[in-house]
Amino acid sequence: MARTGRFVGCFVGSVIGDALGAHFEGSWETPTLDVVQKHTRHYLERRHPQLPYTDDTAMAKVVAESLIRCKDFDASDMARRFCDEYYGDKGRGYGFNVVTVFERWKLGSAEERPFEPAKLQFGGEGSEGNGAAMRIAPIAIFAYNDWKKAAEIASGCARLTHSHPNGITGALLQCRAVFQALHANQDESQFANAFIDDLKKHVVQESPGSVYDEKLENARKLLHQNAPPSAGDVADNLGNGVRAKNSVVTAIYAFLHACKWSMNFRDMIEFAISIGGDTDTIACMAGAIGGGFWGIEKIPKMWQENVEAVDIVSEMAEQLSDMRST
Ligand code: AR6
Ligand code: MG
């Protein structure tokens, strides 16, 4: 498949995971796979009013817009756009605390000191929510040929709202996972060990003391089992919460699980949602990785029809891929 199909698949996959997963976000009870499928397959049958995307996609679109407009990472521009997006469309389900960053930017710091408000979050500790990881797909597309650049942009983009090391490393891990998926040989699907080794080498080893080492080893163990672990086992071992350390490796795992057990994009999204907890964001991150690996052709057409803004992010993915660093 032409490479563009994988770039488009990456951004579209993330939006579809977000919109389909949103139905179950924070559900009191973790949905069974049957319950998830009842929801997701409904949107496979015929056209419906489009499912709205949430803050995951609202912020990823801003990242893409800023990169397209500035042709590089410009912290002030991106901060201003995040802020404008939020005040123009507040009801997208933003994280509880990140909105105080927008409030401070609005008071005037977006232009001169875009990184300052994030440093004040959680008594100065910074946010370790998964909000920096969930919006990373456009960066992996934009810097497809240059990991160093991708990592630099991902880290800057993360620090605009998330200054806690776990928030930043979570974003870098998700970025590297998408980056790898876009480059991976599609004829090969048993690459879990090498994929995890790569994440450790390029991200975790650079971030001493990170909790992600343990999580990735837990994921490796799950992938070595002789039978597919249940979604509940995955949640118990890797987490399903809103903090990056409890959801980024979970999403990466959902993709590797799908590859190992010969599942397709649809199965992967449904499995990711059935892990429960922060379902939209876990499915969004898994969708970016899986969409980048399998490409747009393998994403069900009816899901594409039934989700908001698929046409817009497809166009953005093409623009980003045209301008990617050579
Ligand atoms: N200490 C305690 N709790 C924390 C900390 C911390 N240092 N950091 C994060 N949390 P936020 P986001 C918890 O507000 O990352 C949407 O639903 C805390 O409960 O910075 O952009 C999306 O779909 C905080 O409210 O926003 C994603 O699921 C929460 O993490 C998610 O929100 C989110 O951190 C993205 O949220
Ligand atoms: Mg979420």
Side-chain angles (χ1 to χ4, degrees):
M1 179 196 307
R3 189 64 61 178
T4 313
R6 295 177 73 168
F7 295 129
V8 174
C10 173
F11 209 165
V12 169
S14 106
V15 177
I16 285 180
D18 172 26
L20 285 169
H23 183 72
F24 300 100
E25 186 185 20
S27 289
W28 200 243
E29 232 176 278
T30 296
T32 61
L33 188 59
D34 275 357
V35 169
V36 171
Q37 286 174 345
K38 216 173 221 158
H39 174 65
T40 53
R41 306 255 164 130
H42 184 65
Y43 289 94
L44 278 182
E45 284 160 13
R46 59 181 170 81
R47 277 194 180 221
H48 293 276
Q50 288 187 325
L51 278 171
Y53 60 75
T54 78
D55 59 316
D56 302 42
T57 299
M59 295 194 90
K61 278 172 71 233
V62 167
V63 171
E65 273 159 19
S66 181
L67 289 173
I68 290 167
R69 190 57 68 94
C70 301
K71 300 186 172 57
D72 204 346
F73 175 60
D74 179 324
S76 302
D77 180 83
M78 206 177 275
R80 196 168 357 90
R81 286 173 191 272
F82 279 143
C83 194
D84 291 348
E85 169 64 35
Y86 171 70
Y87 283 101
D89 193 5
K90 284 184 181 176
R92 293 280 182 181
Y94 282 87
F96 287 121
N97 293 76
V98 72
V99 299
T100 62
V101 173
F102 305 142
E103 284 159 8
R104 290 194 173 103
W105 279 335
K106 197 169 197 264
L107 290 174
S109 59
E111 213 57 57
E112 301 296 324
R113 291 165 284 114
F115 295 105
E116 291 311 305
K119 295 182 188 160
L120 303 172
Q121 297 293 82
F122 295 94
E125 169 179 299
S127 172
E128 58 170 340
N130 54 20
M134 72 192 183
R135 61 181 187 238
I136 225 70
I139 298 172
I141 299 171
F142 176 74
Y144 167 79
N145 289 322
D146 184 348
W147 169 246
K148 200 164 161 268
K149 185 161 185 78
E152 242 171 60
I153 300 177
S155 161
C157 175
R159 286 187 297 108
L160 282 173
T161 47
H162 293 67
S163 66
H164 192 296
N166 290 341
I168 299 167
T169 304
L172 286 166
L173 260 186
Q174 171 65 9
C175 190
R176 183 71 197 181
V178 175
F179 188 90
Q180 277 199 78
L182 287 168
H183 284 85
N185 177 356
Q186 290 168 313
D187 300 326
E188 170 65 65
S189 61
Q190 300 305 316
F191 46 60
N193 269 328
F195 201 95
I196 290 174
D197 289 343
D198 175 284
L199 294 172
K200 290 179 74 160
K201 179 168 168 230
H202 286 96
V203 179
V204 178
Q205 277 167 21
E206 314 263 311
S207 328
S210 114
V211 294
Y212 292 102
D213 199 31
E214 192 188 329
K215 292 274 177 173
L216 285 170
E217 286 312 318
N218 288 349
R220 200 197 297 272
K221 279 191 204 128
L222 290 172
L223 288 158
H224 280 177
Q225 290 183 11
N226 293 326
S230 69
D233 285 345
V234 177
D236 289 347
N237 283 280
L238 305 178
N240 65 5
V242 73
R243 300 196 198 192
K245 65 184 175 188
N246 294 328
S247 42
V248 174
V249 176
T250 312
I252 295 170
Y253 173 82
F255 166 67
L256 294 174
H257 175 104
C259 291
K260 163 145 189 186
W261 300 104
S262 306
M263 291 155 64
N264 58 20
F265 180 86
R266 182 201 65 189
D267 301 334
M268 179 198 70
I269 290 291
E270 292 170 345
F271 179 73
I273 296 173
S274 73
I275 297 168
D278 194 0
T279 48
D280 60 339
T281 305
I282 293 172
C284 165
M285 293 190 289
I289 306 169
F293 180 64
W294 288 299
I296 190 70
E297 293 296 323
K298 298 289 164 59
I299 299 181
K301 294 269 181 308
M302 208 40 94
W303 278 358
Q304 295 182 45
E305 302 267 346
N306 279 325
V307 169
E308 182 187 8
V310 163
D311 48 346
I312 298 173
V313 301
S314 299
E315 170 72 31
M316 285 175 161
E318 286 190 22
Q319 281 179 268
L320 286 166
S321 71
D322 284 346
M323 45 194 301
R324 67 186 186 264
S325 40
T326 46

